[in-house]
C-alpha cells in the first residue's frame, strides 16, 4: 500500500506540474512579470537567442557571464524545482546550493512573492529549450570563490518580501513593488559601496554602468525627477523619451525596449507616482535650464554639429521633425564629463521602440577622437550650463571601453 501511495503521489505531482506548465493564465502572468523584471536584458548575448545567456559583465575583478534560463535540461534550468527557482530569486542561491553574484539582482527580486516568482518560472518553462552553455566566469582570487557570497548575503541581502504600506494608496504600493522588486531600478540608479552593495541611505541617487551614467531618479526637483510632470515620466518609461526632460540611452534604452514599454498604463503611472514620492537625493547631474548659449565660439565642434547633428537636433536644440531629438533641458548635455553624450555618439541610439526616423546612428567610425571631443564640448557648452569639456583622450577611453 505504501508503494502504491508513493507512486500515486508521484503521478499526481507530475500531473500538477503539467497542468501548471499548460495553464495559459499563469503563463500570461509570468510573461508579464518576466517583462517587468527585464530578464531578457541580461540573459541575451549579442547575436544570441533570448534567455540563453552568455552576456558578459565586465567587473574590476574579472568577467561574469549570464546563465542559460531556458528549460533545457542539460545547459539551462529544465531540471530545477520550484524551490530551486524561488531560492535563486529570493536568496541568490540556486540549484545544488550554488551561490550567485549580485550582478544578478536577487537583492531586489527577493521582495517578490513566491507566487509571482513561480509565474515567471511557468513562463520560462513554456519556452523552447535552447542547448547552449555560457562561457565560464573569469574572476580573480578571491572573488572566484562562490562560497564567500554566504557572508556577503548575511550582511547585505535582506531575504524579505515586499510589505505594502497601509498608509499609502494601492497605486503607490503597486509602484513601490514594481520599482523595488521586479523592476530592480535601484540596482542601476543607486550608488554602491566598496563591497558592491547598494547604498541604502542613498537610494536612487544615481550610479555608473561602464560607459553610462544612471541618473538620479529620486524626487529631488533639481537632481532627480521631482520636477517632471507625471505624464512626462510615463512617456519616458513607455517610449524612451520625454521632450525637455530626458531621453533613454544605453542600458536604460534597453530597459524601455525589452521591459517598460510592455507594461500596462496603470503600472507605468503607479511607478511614476511612487518615484515622485521617494526621498529627495540632492546629488548627481542637475537638469539644466532650457536655453541656448549663443556665445559659444564657432570652431571644429560647431562645424561637426552643423554637418552631422543639426539636421535632426537643430542649432537651437529644439529638435527637428520629432521631439525625440530635443536637446534642451536634458541632463545628458549638463554633465561636465559628457559621459552619456560620448556613449551615445559612440554607440548610437537605435532601439526598436523608436521609429526609424527617430533612431540615432553611431558616429564612432565616421569621426575621429578629436572631432567627437570637439562636438561633445560644443553640445555641453551650447545647451548645458556646466561649461564641460571633453578631450580626445576621453573619447579614446570611451571607445576602448565600448569595444570590450
Amino acid at each position: 500500500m505504501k508503494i502504491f501511495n508513493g507512486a500515486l503521489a508521484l503521478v499526481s505531482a507530475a500531473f500538477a506540474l503539467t497542468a501548471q506548465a499548460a495553464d495559459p493564465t499563469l503563463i500570461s502572468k509570468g510573461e508579464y512579470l518576466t517583462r517587468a523584471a527585464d530578464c531578457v536584458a541580461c540573459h541575451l548575448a549579442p547575436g544570441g537567442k533570448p534567455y540563453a545567456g552568455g552576456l558578459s559583465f565586465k567587473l574590476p575583478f574579472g568577467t561574469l557571464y549570464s546563465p542559460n534560463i531556458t528549460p533545457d535540461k542539460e545547459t539551462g534550468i529544465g531540471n530545477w524545482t520550484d524551490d530551486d527557482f524561488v531560492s535563486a530569486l529570493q536568496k541568490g542561491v540556486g540549484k545544488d546550493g550554488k551561490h550567485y553574484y549580485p550582478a544578478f539582482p536577487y537583492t531586489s527580486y527577493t521582495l517578490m512573492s513566491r507566487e509571482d516568482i513561480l509565474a515567471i518560472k511557468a513562463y520560462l518553462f513554456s519556452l523552447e529549450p535552447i542547448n547552449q552553455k555560457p562561457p565560464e566566469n573569469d574572476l580573480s582570487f578571491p572573488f572566484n570563490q562562490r562560497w564567500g557570497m554566504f557572508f556577503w548575503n548575511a550582511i547585505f541581502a535582506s531575504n524579505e518580501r515586499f510589505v505594502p504600506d497601509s498608509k499609502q494608496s494601492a497605486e503607490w504600493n503597486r509602484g513601490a513593488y514594481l520599482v523595488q522588486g521586479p523592476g530592480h531600478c535601484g540596482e542601476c540608479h543607486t550608488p554602491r559601496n566598496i563591497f558592491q552593495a547598494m547604498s541604502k541611505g542613498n537610494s536612487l541617487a544615481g550610479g555608473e554602468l561602464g560607459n553610462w551614467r544612471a541618473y538620479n531618479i529620486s524626487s529631488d526637483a533639481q537632481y532627480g525627477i521631482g520636477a517632471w510632470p507625471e505624464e512626462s515620466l510615463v512617456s519616458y518609461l513607455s517610449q524612451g523619451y520625454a521632450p525637455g526632460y530626458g531621453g533613454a540611452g544605453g542600458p536604460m534604452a534597453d530597459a524601455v525596449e525589452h521591459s517598460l514599454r510592455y507594461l500596462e498604463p496603470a503600472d507605468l503611472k503607479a511607478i511614476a507616482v511612487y518615484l515622485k514620492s521617494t526621498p529627495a537625493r540632492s546629488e548627481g547631474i542637475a537638469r539644466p535650464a532650457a536655453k541656448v548659449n549663443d556665445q559659444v565660439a564657432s570652431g571644429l565642434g560647431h562645424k561637426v554639429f552643423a554637418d552631422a547633428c543639426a539636421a535632426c537636433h537643430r542649432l537651437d536644440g529644439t529638435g527637428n521633425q520629432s521631439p525625440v531629438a530635443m536637446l534642451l533641458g536634458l541632463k545628458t548635455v549638463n554633465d561636465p564629463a559628457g559621459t552619456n553624450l560620448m556613449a551615445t555618439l559612440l554607440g548610437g541610439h537605435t532601439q526598436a521602440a523608436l521609429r526609424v526616423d527617430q533612431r540615432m546612428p553611431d558616429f564612432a567610425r565616421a569621426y575621429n577622437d578629436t572631432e567627437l571631443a570637439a562636438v561633445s564640448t560644443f553640445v555641453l557648452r551650447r545647451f548645458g550650463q556646466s561649461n564641460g569639456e571633453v578631450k580626445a583622450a576621453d573619447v579614446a577611453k570611451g571607445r576602448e571601453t565600448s569595444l570590450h
Side-chain angles (χ1 to χ4, degrees), residues 68-97:
N68 182 337
I69 57 171
T70 73
D72 182 70
K73 292 182 179 296
E74 183 180 359
T75 63
I77 60 171
N79 290 318
W80 285 39
T81 66
D82 287 355
D83 287 343
D84 290 336
F85 195 75
V86 171
S87 177
L89 270 71
Q90 290 184 345
K91 301 177 182 179
V93 182
K95 189 173 179 61
D96 300 325

mmCIF file of all heavy atoms in Angstrom, residues 68-97:
data_model
loop_
_atom_site.group_PDB
_atom_site.id
_atom_site.type_symbol
_atom_site.label_atom_id
_atom_site.label_comp_id
_atom_site.label_asym_id
_atom_site.label_seq_id
_atom_site.Cartn_x
_atom_site.Cartn_y
_atom_site.Cartn_z
ATOM 1 N N ASN A 68 22.130 30.374 -18.802
ATOM 2 C CA ASN A 68 21.010 29.976 -19.657
ATOM 3 C C ASN A 68 19.802 29.723 -18.758
ATOM 4 O O ASN A 68 19.866 28.909 -17.833
ATOM 5 C CB ASN A 68 21.407 28.705 -20.416
ATOM 6 C CG ASN A 68 20.347 28.214 -21.380
ATOM 7 O OD1 ASN A 68 19.166 28.525 -21.241
ATOM 8 N ND2 ASN A 68 20.762 27.415 -22.350
ATOM 9 N N ILE A 69 18.687 30.428 -18.995
ATOM 10 C CA ILE A 69 17.491 30.205 -18.179
ATOM 11 C C ILE A 69 16.332 29.677 -19.025
ATOM 12 O O ILE A 69 15.168 29.841 -18.669
ATOM 13 C CB ILE A 69 17.067 31.466 -17.402
ATOM 14 C CG1 ILE A 69 16.826 32.662 -18.344
ATOM 15 C CG2 ILE A 69 18.106 31.822 -16.348
ATOM 16 C CD1 ILE A 69 16.196 33.863 -17.629
ATOM 17 N N THR A 70 16.661 29.032 -20.150
ATOM 18 C CA THR A 70 15.621 28.314 -20.893
ATOM 19 C C THR A 70 15.432 26.956 -20.226
ATOM 20 O O THR A 70 16.272 26.520 -19.424
ATOM 21 C CB THR A 70 16.021 28.113 -22.367
ATOM 22 O OG1 THR A 70 17.047 27.108 -22.454
ATOM 23 C CG2 THR A 70 16.502 29.408 -22.996
ATOM 24 N N PRO A 71 14.359 26.215 -20.550
ATOM 25 C CA PRO A 71 14.104 24.937 -19.880
ATOM 26 C C PRO A 71 14.928 23.760 -20.397
ATOM 27 O O PRO A 71 14.524 22.598 -20.247
ATOM 28 C CB PRO A 71 12.607 24.712 -20.122
ATOM 29 C CG PRO A 71 12.315 25.432 -21.384
ATOM 30 C CD PRO A 71 13.198 26.647 -21.367
ATOM 31 N N ASP A 72 16.075 24.052 -20.986
ATOM 32 C CA ASP A 72 16.955 22.963 -21.412
ATOM 33 C C ASP A 72 17.475 22.231 -20.176
ATOM 34 O O ASP A 72 17.958 22.864 -19.233
ATOM 35 C CB ASP A 72 18.121 23.528 -22.220
ATOM 36 C CG ASP A 72 19.035 22.437 -22.737
ATOM 37 O OD1 ASP A 72 18.619 21.682 -23.635
ATOM 38 O OD2 ASP A 72 20.170 22.329 -22.221
ATOM 39 N N LYS A 73 17.396 20.915 -20.190
ATOM 40 C CA LYS A 73 17.762 20.137 -19.002
ATOM 41 C C LYS A 73 19.263 19.996 -18.812
ATOM 42 O O LYS A 73 19.737 19.734 -17.714
ATOM 43 C CB LYS A 73 17.116 18.745 -19.074
ATOM 44 C CG LYS A 73 15.597 18.758 -18.953
ATOM 45 C CD LYS A 73 15.019 17.349 -18.981
ATOM 46 C CE LYS A 73 13.508 17.358 -18.847
ATOM 47 N NZ LYS A 73 13.077 17.888 -17.523
ATOM 48 N N GLU A 74 20.019 20.168 -19.875
ATOM 49 C CA GLU A 74 21.467 19.999 -19.787
ATOM 50 C C GLU A 74 22.193 21.298 -19.477
ATOM 51 O O GLU A 74 23.081 21.345 -18.613
ATOM 52 C CB GLU A 74 22.000 19.410 -21.093
ATOM 53 C CG GLU A 74 23.497 19.134 -21.064
ATOM 54 C CD GLU A 74 24.014 18.559 -22.376
ATOM 55 O OE1 GLU A 74 23.198 18.357 -23.304
ATOM 56 O OE2 GLU A 74 25.233 18.321 -22.475
ATOM 57 N N THR A 75 21.823 22.383 -20.160
ATOM 58 C CA THR A 75 22.552 23.649 -20.002
ATOM 59 C C THR A 75 21.706 24.769 -19.417
ATOM 60 O O THR A 75 22.225 25.849 -19.143
ATOM 61 C CB THR A 75 23.106 24.122 -21.363
ATOM 62 O OG1 THR A 75 22.000 24.379 -22.253
ATOM 63 C CG2 THR A 75 24.019 23.070 -21.980
ATOM 64 N N GLY A 76 20.405 24.521 -19.231
ATOM 65 C CA GLY A 76 19.512 25.537 -18.706
ATOM 66 C C GLY A 76 18.968 25.176 -17.339
ATOM 67 O O GLY A 76 19.673 24.584 -16.509
ATOM 68 N N ILE A 77 17.693 25.503 -17.105
ATOM 69 C CA ILE A 77 17.080 25.267 -15.789
ATOM 70 C C ILE A 77 15.971 24.224 -15.857
ATOM 71 O O ILE A 77 15.101 24.172 -14.999
ATOM 72 C CB ILE A 77 16.521 26.590 -15.213
ATOM 73 C CG1 ILE A 77 15.459 27.201 -16.142
ATOM 74 C CG2 ILE A 77 17.649 27.586 -14.956
ATOM 75 C CD1 ILE A 77 14.724 28.389 -15.530
ATOM 76 N N GLY A 78 16.026 23.373 -16.882
ATOM 77 C CA GLY A 78 14.971 22.376 -17.081
ATOM 78 C C GLY A 78 14.807 21.386 -15.946
ATOM 79 O O GLY A 78 13.736 20.804 -15.781
ATOM 80 N N ASN A 79 15.847 21.191 -15.153
ATOM 81 C CA ASN A 79 15.770 20.256 -14.028
ATOM 82 C C ASN A 79 15.522 20.950 -12.692
ATOM 83 O O ASN A 79 15.562 20.303 -11.640
ATOM 84 C CB ASN A 79 17.070 19.446 -13.935
ATOM 85 C CG ASN A 79 17.206 18.453 -15.075
ATOM 86 O OD1 ASN A 79 16.228 17.797 -15.450
ATOM 87 N ND2 ASN A 79 18.408 18.333 -15.632
ATOM 88 N N TRP A 80 15.266 22.232 -12.717
ATOM 89 C CA TRP A 80 15.072 22.970 -11.476
ATOM 90 C C TRP A 80 13.671 22.745 -10.914
ATOM 91 O O TRP A 80 12.678 22.749 -11.640
ATOM 92 C CB TRP A 80 15.272 24.462 -11.719
ATOM 93 C CG TRP A 80 16.700 24.890 -11.877
ATOM 94 C CD1 TRP A 80 17.694 24.235 -12.529
ATOM 95 C CD2 TRP A 80 17.277 26.093 -11.375
ATOM 96 N NE1 TRP A 80 18.853 24.945 -12.477
ATOM 97 C CE2 TRP A 80 18.639 26.100 -11.783
ATOM 98 C CE3 TRP A 80 16.798 27.162 -10.645
ATOM 99 C CZ2 TRP A 80 19.512 27.134 -11.453
ATOM 100 C CZ3 TRP A 80 17.663 28.208 -10.324
ATOM 101 C CH2 TRP A 80 18.998 28.188 -10.717
ATOM 102 N N THR A 81 13.600 22.604 -9.613
ATOM 103 C CA THR A 81 12.310 22.515 -8.929
ATOM 104 C C THR A 81 11.811 23.932 -8.622
ATOM 105 O O THR A 81 12.547 24.917 -8.782
ATOM 106 C CB THR A 81 12.440 21.748 -7.617
ATOM 107 O OG1 THR A 81 13.269 22.500 -6.711
ATOM 108 C CG2 THR A 81 13.054 20.361 -7.841
ATOM 109 N N ASP A 82 10.571 24.013 -8.172
ATOM 110 C CA ASP A 82 10.032 25.311 -7.748
ATOM 111 C C ASP A 82 10.899 25.926 -6.661
ATOM 112 O O ASP A 82 11.210 27.128 -6.689
ATOM 113 C CB ASP A 82 8.597 25.145 -7.235
ATOM 114 C CG ASP A 82 7.598 24.899 -8.347
ATOM 115 O OD1 ASP A 82 8.000 24.941 -9.526
ATOM 116 O OD2 ASP A 82 6.415 24.660 -8.026
ATOM 117 N N ASP A 83 11.293 25.110 -5.701
ATOM 118 C CA ASP A 83 12.098 25.620 -4.585
ATOM 119 C C ASP A 83 13.460 26.115 -5.059
ATOM 120 O O ASP A 83 13.981 27.115 -4.543
ATOM 121 C CB ASP A 83 12.278 24.539 -3.516
ATOM 122 C CG ASP A 83 11.010 24.286 -2.724
ATOM 123 O OD1 ASP A 83 10.096 25.137 -2.762
ATOM 124 O OD2 ASP A 83 10.921 23.227 -2.062
ATOM 125 N N ASP A 84 14.056 25.419 -6.037
ATOM 126 C CA ASP A 84 15.334 25.862 -6.590
ATOM 127 C C ASP A 84 15.198 27.266 -7.173
ATOM 128 O O ASP A 84 16.035 28.147 -6.933
ATOM 129 C CB ASP A 84 15.796 24.916 -7.709
ATOM 130 C CG ASP A 84 16.225 23.543 -7.209
ATOM 131 O OD1 ASP A 84 16.601 23.441 -6.036
ATOM 132 O OD2 ASP A 84 16.165 22.593 -8.016
ATOM 133 N N PHE A 85 14.133 27.469 -7.957
ATOM 134 C CA PHE A 85 13.942 28.730 -8.661
ATOM 135 C C PHE A 85 13.632 29.865 -7.687
ATOM 136 O O PHE A 85 14.177 30.966 -7.795
ATOM 137 C CB PHE A 85 12.816 28.588 -9.683
ATOM 138 C CG PHE A 85 12.762 29.692 -10.699
ATOM 139 C CD1 PHE A 85 13.683 29.743 -11.736
ATOM 140 C CD2 PHE A 85 11.805 30.696 -10.618
ATOM 141 C CE1 PHE A 85 13.643 30.766 -12.685
ATOM 142 C CE2 PHE A 85 11.758 31.724 -11.539
ATOM 143 C CZ PHE A 85 12.678 31.762 -12.578
ATOM 144 N N VAL A 86 12.768 29.597 -6.722
ATOM 145 C CA VAL A 86 12.418 30.613 -5.731
ATOM 146 C C VAL A 86 13.643 30.996 -4.908
ATOM 147 O O VAL A 86 13.886 32.178 -4.635
ATOM 148 C CB VAL A 86 11.282 30.114 -4.817
ATOM 149 C CG1 VAL A 86 11.058 31.083 -3.650
ATOM 150 C CG2 VAL A 86 9.990 29.958 -5.602
ATOM 151 N N SER A 87 14.435 30.012 -4.528
ATOM 152 C CA SER A 87 15.641 30.280 -3.745
ATOM 153 C C SER A 87 16.623 31.158 -4.522
ATOM 154 O O SER A 87 17.252 32.064 -3.962
ATOM 155 C CB SER A 87 16.325 28.967 -3.362
ATOM 156 O OG SER A 87 17.542 29.211 -2.666
ATOM 157 N N ALA A 88 16.749 30.923 -5.822
ATOM 158 C CA ALA A 88 17.671 31.719 -6.636
ATOM 159 C C ALA A 88 17.264 33.182 -6.640
ATOM 160 O O ALA A 88 18.108 34.075 -6.502
ATOM 161 C CB ALA A 88 17.714 31.170 -8.062
ATOM 162 N N LEU A 89 15.960 33.437 -6.785
ATOM 163 C CA LEU A 89 15.498 34.824 -6.875
ATOM 164 C C LEU A 89 15.377 35.507 -5.524
ATOM 165 O O LEU A 89 15.559 36.722 -5.419
ATOM 166 C CB LEU A 89 14.151 34.893 -7.614
ATOM 167 C CG LEU A 89 14.270 35.062 -9.142
ATOM 168 C CD1 LEU A 89 14.787 33.775 -9.783
ATOM 169 C CD2 LEU A 89 12.941 35.454 -9.759
ATOM 170 N N GLN A 90 15.073 34.750 -4.497
ATOM 171 C CA GLN A 90 14.899 35.375 -3.185
ATOM 172 C C GLN A 90 16.166 35.375 -2.330
ATOM 173 O O GLN A 90 16.346 36.255 -1.493
ATOM 174 C CB GLN A 90 13.773 34.668 -2.422
ATOM 175 C CG GLN A 90 12.385 34.924 -3.006
ATOM 176 C CD GLN A 90 11.277 34.295 -2.177
ATOM 177 O OE1 GLN A 90 11.527 33.438 -1.315
ATOM 178 N NE2 GLN A 90 10.044 34.713 -2.416
ATOM 179 N N LYS A 91 17.057 34.389 -2.572
ATOM 180 C CA LYS A 91 18.241 34.265 -1.724
ATOM 181 C C LYS A 91 19.557 34.354 -2.490
ATOM 182 O O LYS A 91 20.622 34.461 -1.871
ATOM 183 C CB LYS A 91 18.208 32.932 -0.970
ATOM 184 C CG LYS A 91 16.990 32.739 -0.088
ATOM 185 C CD LYS A 91 17.019 31.360 0.567
ATOM 186 C CE LYS A 91 15.777 31.116 1.416
ATOM 187 N NZ LYS A 91 15.795 29.766 2.032
ATOM 188 N N GLY A 92 19.477 34.265 -3.810
ATOM 189 C CA GLY A 92 20.717 34.244 -4.581
ATOM 190 C C GLY A 92 21.428 32.920 -4.506
ATOM 191 O O GLY A 92 22.625 32.827 -4.784
ATOM 192 N N VAL A 93 20.698 31.882 -4.141
ATOM 193 C CA VAL A 93 21.261 30.536 -4.038
ATOM 194 C C VAL A 93 20.414 29.598 -4.887
ATOM 195 O O VAL A 93 19.238 29.373 -4.598
ATOM 196 C CB VAL A 93 21.276 30.032 -2.577
ATOM 197 C CG1 VAL A 93 21.907 28.636 -2.502
ATOM 198 C CG2 VAL A 93 22.032 31.006 -1.691
ATOM 199 N N GLY A 94 20.996 29.078 -5.962
ATOM 200 C CA GLY A 94 20.251 28.260 -6.897
ATOM 201 C C GLY A 94 20.353 26.774 -6.630
ATOM 202 O O GLY A 94 20.616 26.335 -5.503
ATOM 203 N N LYS A 95 20.180 25.991 -7.670
ATOM 204 C CA LYS A 95 20.175 24.533 -7.563
ATOM 205 C C LYS A 95 21.505 24.028 -7.013
ATOM 206 O O LYS A 95 22.574 24.543 -7.343
ATOM 207 C CB LYS A 95 19.918 23.912 -8.940
ATOM 208 C CG LYS A 95 19.670 22.400 -8.903
ATOM 209 C CD LYS A 95 19.261 21.894 -10.270
ATOM 210 C CE LYS A 95 19.029 20.391 -10.255
ATOM 211 N NZ LYS A 95 17.938 20.019 -9.316
ATOM 212 N N ASP A 96 21.418 23.042 -6.141
ATOM 213 C CA ASP A 96 22.581 22.409 -5.510
ATOM 214 C C ASP A 96 23.391 23.398 -4.666
ATOM 215 O O ASP A 96 24.598 23.227 -4.473
ATOM 216 C CB ASP A 96 23.489 21.765 -6.569
ATOM 217 C CG ASP A 96 22.774 20.689 -7.374
ATOM 218 O OD1 ASP A 96 21.934 19.980 -6.792
ATOM 219 O OD2 ASP A 96 23.042 20.587 -8.587
ATOM 220 N N GLY A 97 22.707 24.447 -4.168
ATOM 221 C CA GLY A 97 23.362 25.390 -3.265
ATOM 222 C C GLY A 97 24.343 26.333 -3.939
ATOM 223 O O GLY A 97 25.190 26.934 -3.263
#
